[in-house]
Amino acid sequence: MAEETFFRKIIDKEIPSDMLYQDDFVTAFRDISPQAPTHILIIPNKLIATANDIEIEDELLIGKLYSVAKILAKQEGIDESGYRLIMNCNQDGGQEVFHIHLHLLGGKPLGQLVAVG
Ligand code: AMP
């Protein structure tokens, strides 16, 4: 069974965050170390450690992450200019926090998807 991360404490408001959205299923807050003018993390309230741990029963929940991303992109004023949604998985994907999260990045041209070299 996966272990809870500090994201649980953010969901439960036990540690502070710049929270932008929360409902019974999903929480979204600004990344503490933004890589773009808009950098928001959108996470399920339920612990799913990595993309490898997503089950069929989670399909609606994963879809909801994208629905919330769409709402927040509009709220941030980047829906027309564009943005990128990324979920890192495990070591080569650069995942640091083992509670899945969608990075919503935008507010400037983001360049290549993967750095070359
Ligand atoms: P990943 O590398 O995909 O697991 O992303 C983890 C993200 O969590 C990184 O972009 C971090 O900057 C971000 N992060 C770490 N601690 C916090 C925090 N306390 N509040 C908000 N974002 C955080």
Side-chain angles (χ1 to χ4, degrees), residues 3 6 11 13 18 25 29 31 37 41 46 50 58 62 70 76-77 79 82 94 97 107 109 111 114:
E3 282 187 30
F6 66 95
I11 293 166
K13 301 189 173 113
D18 191 351
F25 305 100
F29 49 94
D31 196 293
L41 302 177
K46 166 188 172 182
T50 78
D58 299 320
I62 300 305
K70 182 187 92 167
E76 292 286 302
D79 53 328
V97 182
V114 178

Side-chain angles (χ1 to χ4, degrees), residues 6-7 10 15-18 29-35 39 41 86-89 93-99 101 103:
F6 66 95
F7 278 7
I10 289 180
I15 59 174
S17 73
D18 191 351
F29 49 94
R30 288 194 197 280
D31 196 293
I32 204 165
S33 178
Q35 304 299 308
H39 189 173
L41 302 177
I86 298 173
M87 184 180 291
N88 295 324
C89 182
Q95 185 176 5
E96 292 172 355
V97 182
F98 288 83
H99 181 138
H101 44 283
H103 294 257

